[in-house]
Amino acid sequence: MEHKHTDKATAAGLLVAMGIIYGDIGTSPLYVMQSIIGSAPINETAVLGGLSCIFWTLTLQTTLKYVILILRADNRGEGGIFALFALVRRHAKWLTVPAIIGGATLLADGIITPPVSVASAVEGLRMIKPDIETVPIVLAIITVLFMFQVLGTKMVGRAFGPIMLIWFSMLGFLGIVWIAKDWSILRAFSPHYAIQLLTNPYNGESGFWALGAVFLCTTGAEALYSDLGHCGRGNIRVSWIFVKICLILQYFGQGAWLIHQNGSLLNGRKPIFELMPEWFLLWGIVIATAAAIIASQALISGSFTLVSEAIRLNFWPKVRLNYPSDQKGQLYVPSVNIFLWLGCMGVVLWFRESANMEAAYGLAITLTMLMTTALMAYYLHVKKFDMWWIVGFIVVYVSIEGSFLVANLRKFVHGGYVSLIIAAAIISLMIIWYRAFIIKMRLTEYVKLVDYIEPLKDLSQDMSIPKYATHLVFMSNAARTSEIESKIIYSIFQKRPKRADIYWFVHVDTLDDPYTMEYKVDIIEPDDVIKVTFRLGFRVEQKINLYFRKVVEELVKNGEVDITSRYESLNRQNVIGDFRFVVLEKFLSYDNQLSMFESLIMKAYFFIKDFTPSEDKWFGLDTSAVKVEKVPLVIRPAENIRLKRID
């Protein structure tokens, strides 16, 4: 379902969009042309061919695929590869594969974005002081940036838009100044020069491999889709017109300068800073560094959102999520923040120079784009688009992105292995968590709740058993109203008989819609057995303690339940009865027989689970009123036990 309000563009919305979503793609002029030229002597073929490739990449890949086509696939106003997966996952199980690969590679390759952006900007200081050591400065900036995440970015976020507006205006103005010095550079709009570069030898090898460097100009395209919920489709599409014009002007301005350097070597010179007059250079470096920090901030925020969605889709362990402000989408994930910070520190210390980082950058993100293409093609199929359009979409973008992937594979030995190793580790984690979830769901035993209504009523009235709580609340995985896990029945009647006046069973159903907040109450037995089902979107914070209290207040207000204490002395004083939550945490039982694959999956699952918060903390329950019980997860009971009795 598409929301019309997302198509509206406002002045404030355009400024916000500029500050949030264009950090990565907006800072690419810092390093793209330098990467295309490389260590070879500057020549006209490389400059014109590189510019032509950049223009048509930004047109076909960023503009046509993402801004025009992919933004149509919004999930109640939300975007991103997991939001797209949530739209289509009901239709085919295999779609889990591209979703996991795409999410993991996006997270992994993003670790290089802050170092390459910040390093490229800071290295401009060498034009003022050639012997300056930039690595400590880059490490310091990145460390401060990650430390700042715990406070939230609401206040700083308001400054992002104006800073990026200054940045893009600067790029466009400097580009125009240099284009005016050599209007012939506009020849590069012709695809002829791109074809000429890609089909002829360049620097002693096929020009096709230049695509690995060209691809860096569009690595931030996925962020346009991921931040759809923050900015709205209309604001993104309108602001992109201005951003693309400024980027093209800057690239062509760099091209005009490069052609004037024909035959010489770059030797570490950055074309973007060469365009600046000497008196403006320091200001330009400061603005570039600010833009690089904003690009890094956008990546970090996007990673937090990506992980929070992965948790709700059962792709990621239930790690702690913090919400540092009341701003929509404002999220802080401590474990991911540490992971990203360590990754960025490692990248800076390992590669040291931005040129080395560029050699490793972009390989994994091509896989993300291919996976988005696969999911989008299936989305078009679900929406009943004409099959020929779908086939055309697949052929065009698999060809384009496949070419980028092949060209980027050369980066593997130059550092691309770093992002792929990280991506492989993240993919493994996601597969373990998702497969363990499937195994648990498939083999969890459920029983009919109606069969236990009378036993529960009898237990409630059995005065020989000490009362456990007035209101006993169990967190349940049973989606059907009529069912309950056998483990919960075991906990109530056998592990330690738990007498209560009212038994509550609470189930949380995570929906494919991002921000749905609904609940349903089934009073199975008045004043004895009640089941509450929360229907929460995959981006909604799970504050079950708070939500449950709200539900109880509504039930009391409507006269559907009496929560007054059943102790006579307290009842006369109208004292509210105590509520106690019980959360069952499973552990791997020795009493089972598993296949080797399932055994490895479950052992890895429980090993990882030891490092994650307990279920009660995940559900946001009041720890003073929660009992966490360990129950064995008997996945497949041992059979054919040959045990012989002797006298």
Side-chain angles (χ1 to χ4, degrees):
M1 178 178 177
E2 294 192 25
H3 287 222
K4 292 183 179 178
H5 72 271
T6 62
D7 290 323
K8 293 181 180 179
T10 64
L14 293 172
L15 199 60
V16 169
M18 208 166 294
I20 291 178
I21 65 178
Y22 296 118
D24 189 359
I25 205 166
T27 53
S28 55
L30 285 166
Y31 45 78
V32 171
M33 287 305 295
Q34 180 188 14
S35 185
I36 291 173
I37 300 300
S39 58
I42 299 169
N43 69 74
E44 189 173 279
T45 300
V47 174
L48 294 177
L51 289 176
S52 185
C53 286
I54 289 170
F55 173 75
W56 288 105
T57 297
L58 289 175
T59 300
L60 295 175
Q61 186 72 11
T62 313
T63 307
L64 183 59
K65 180 187 174 183
Y66 281 93
V67 177
I68 295 176
L69 295 176
I70 299 286
L71 288 185
R72 292 172 58 90
D74 72 296
N75 188 344
R76 298 295 179 98
E78 292 297 319
I81 192 164
F82 285 148
L84 179 58
F85 169 67
L87 282 171
V88 297
R89 66 171 174 165
R90 296 187 302 273
H91 303 279
K93 292 182 179 179
W94 66 267
L95 294 170
T96 305
V97 175
I100 287 177
I101 294 174
T105 49
L106 183 61
L107 199 59
D109 212 39
I111 288 175
I112 302 183
T113 300
V116 74
S117 298
V118 175
S120 295
V122 171
E123 285 169 7
L125 291 171
R126 289 176 180 167
M127 293 184 64
I128 300 172
K129 191 177 180 182
D131 59 343
I132 191 171
E133 179 59 54
T134 59
V135 171
I137 300 173
V138 175
L139 292 174
I141 290 173
I142 291 176
T143 299
V144 170
L145 179 65
F146 278 100
M147 289 175 61
F148 186 76
Q149 299 306 311
V150 70
L151 303 175
T153 56
K154 184 176 181 179
M155 297 302 294
V156 175
R158 293 173 181 170
F160 283 0
I163 292 173
M164 293 306 287
L165 178 60
I166 293 171
W167 166 251
F168 286 119
S169 300
M170 182 189 80
L171 293 182
F173 178 76
L174 291 173
I176 290 173
V177 169
W178 279 88
I179 291 171
K181 295 181 180 181
D182 185 1
W183 292 102
S184 69
I185 196 68
L186 298 180
R187 291 174 292 163
F189 280 117
S190 170
H192 163 76
Y193 294 97
I195 296 169
Q196 187 179 40
L197 173 65
L198 299 178
T199 56
N200 291 295
Y202 168 62
N203 194 25
E205 58 185 13
S206 172
F208 172 81
W209 302 113
L211 282 179
V214 171
F215 180 72
L216 298 178
C217 76
T218 190
T219 51
E222 197 73 33
L224 303 183
Y225 184 39
S226 298
D227 287 310
L228 174 61
H230 293 285
C231 306
R233 185 163 44 236
N235 289 319
I236 293 174
R237 285 177 171 170
V238 173
S239 60
W240 171 243
I241 297 171
F242 170 74
V243 169
K244 183 183 177 183
I245 290 172
C246 291
L247 289 174
I248 294 299
L249 288 172
Q250 171 64 203
Y251 283 125
F252 276 67
Q254 290 185 25
W257 177 82
L258 285 164
I259 282 182
H260 280 273
Q261 309 298 313
N262 194 33
S264 64
L265 298 172
L266 277 179
N267 281 333
R269 290 181 294 171
K270 293 186 176 295
I272 186 172
F273 295 121
E274 297 292 339
L275 268 55
M276 299 176 185
E278 190 174 343
W279 63 267
F280 183 73
L281 186 58
L282 184 59
W283 286 106
I285 293 169
V286 170
I287 295 171
T289 304
I293 291 171
I294 291 171
S296 304
Q297 177 60 55
L299 165 96
I300 296 165
S301 300
S303 298
F304 292 161
T305 302
L306 193 73
V307 167
S308 71
E309 291 175 354
I311 291 170
R312 270 68 183 237
L313 294 169
N314 299 303
F315 291 156
W316 197 271
K318 293 178 178 178
V319 296
R320 186 157 62 94
L321 306 178
N322 293 345
Y323 296 81
S325 77
D326 57 358
Q327 187 176 8
K328 179 182 175 182
Q330 191 71 187
L331 178 67
Y332 169 61
V333 186
S335 56
V336 175
N337 197 55
I338 294 171
F339 167 70
L340 291 175
W341 175 72
L342 290 173
C344 290
M345 293 293 103
V347 166
V348 174
L349 293 172
W350 181 258
F351 292 109
R352 303 193 72 82
E353 297 288 329
S354 64
N356 299 332
M357 299 175 200
E358 291 155 19
Y361 189 31
L363 175 54
I365 204 73
T366 53
L367 290 172
T368 304
M369 290 184 170
L370 279 166
M371 299 305 106
T372 301
T373 297
L375 291 171
M376 185 63 186
Y378 203 87
Y379 172 80
L380 295 174
H381 170 67
V382 169
K383 290 295 181 180
K384 302 189 185 307
F385 275 69
D386 186 276
M387 186 55 67
W388 287 110
W389 282 106
I390 299 174
V391 171
F393 173 79
I394 294 172
V395 169
V396 169
Y397 285 103
V398 167
S399 299
I400 292 173
E401 290 158 3
S403 298
F404 281 131
L405 177 61
V406 172
N408 274 309
L409 282 174
R410 290 193 76 197
K411 296 182 177 182
F412 182 83
V413 294
H414 299 292
Y417 61 86
V418 173
S419 57
L420 287 190
I421 289 172
I422 296 170
I426 296 172
I427 289 171
S428 300
L429 173 63
M430 289 184 171
I431 290 173
I432 288 168
W433 211 257
Y434 184 71
R435 288 301 306 168
F437 169 77
I438 296 297
I439 293 170
K440 289 191 301 172
M441 287 298 100
R442 187 180 76 239
L443 298 171
T444 298
E445 184 182 359
Y446 296 97
V447 295
K448 295 291 183 183
L449 189 53
V450 68
D451 296 339
Y452 294 91
I453 298 299
E454 290 305 318
L456 286 170
K457 290 169 68 176
D458 290 343
L459 178 61
S460 182
Q461 295 164 10
D462 188 347
M463 300 302 174
S464 66
I465 299 174
K467 186 179 288 189
Y468 194 80
T470 304
H471 300 272
L472 189 56
V473 188
F474 278 88
M475 299 303 300
S476 168
N477 288 324
R480 294 180 181 174
T481 305
S482 60
E483 293 181 341
I484 197 71
E485 294 101 310
S486 60
K487 297 294 183 189
I488 290 180
I489 296 299
Y490 168 81
S491 174
I492 294 174
F493 290 103
Q494 291 176 283
K495 186 163 187 177
R496 173 191 168 186
K498 296 179 176 63
R499 182 163 75 88
D501 294 312
I502 299 181
Y503 293 91
W504 302 75
F505 302 109
V506 176
H507 172 68
V508 179
D509 189 10
T510 303
L511 304 183
D512 291 339
D513 288 341
Y515 292 110
T516 301
M517 292 184 69
E518 300 172 346
Y519 74 89
K520 181 178 69 172
V521 176
D522 293 285
I523 301 179
I524 297 167
E525 187 67 24
D527 278 338
D528 270 302
V529 181
I530 301 172
K531 186 162 187 179
V532 179
T533 301
F534 290 103
R535 303 177 76 249
L536 305 178
F538 62 84
R539 281 197 178 180
V540 174
E541 183 181 3
Q542 303 218 357
K543 297 180 179 179
I544 302 305
N545 204 63
L546 179 64
Y547 303 154
F548 182 71
R549 193 182 311 149
K550 176 69 174 175
V551 170
V552 172
E553 288 174 2
E554 290 285 332
L555 293 175
V556 172
K557 183 179 178 181
N558 297 335
E560 296 176 77
V561 69
D562 178 13
I563 62 170
T564 310
S565 176
R566 304 296 171 87
Y567 293 105
E568 291 183 13
S569 59
L570 299 178
N571 186 272
R572 286 196 295 269
Q573 303 296 325
N574 288 322
V575 175
I576 294 175
D578 61 305
F579 283 81
R580 189 165 191 184
F581 287 85
V582 176
V583 177
L584 302 183
E585 277 203 347
K586 301 178 179 69
F587 64 88
L588 190 60
S589 170
Y590 292 106
D591 184 23
N592 57 62
Q593 289 179 338
L594 306 173
S595 68
M596 182 177 291
F597 175 72
E598 286 186 338
S599 177
L600 288 173
I601 288 289
M602 296 312 298
K603 285 179 180 177
Y605 167 80
F606 282 106
F607 174 78
I608 296 167
K609 202 171 187 300
D610 285 339
F611 297 94
T612 62
S614 58
E615 294 282 327
D616 57 314
K617 291 180 180 177
W618 166 251
F619 285 121
L621 302 177
D622 185 352
T623 53
S624 65
V626 176
K627 168 69 174 176
V628 178
E629 279 192 8
K630 300 282 187 180
V631 294
L633 178 63
V634 182
I635 297 181
R636 189 168 298 148
E639 298 172 354
N640 301 323
I641 300 175
R642 297 182 179 182
L643 197 61
K644 181 180 179 181
R645 177 179 174 177
I646 59 174
D647 293 330

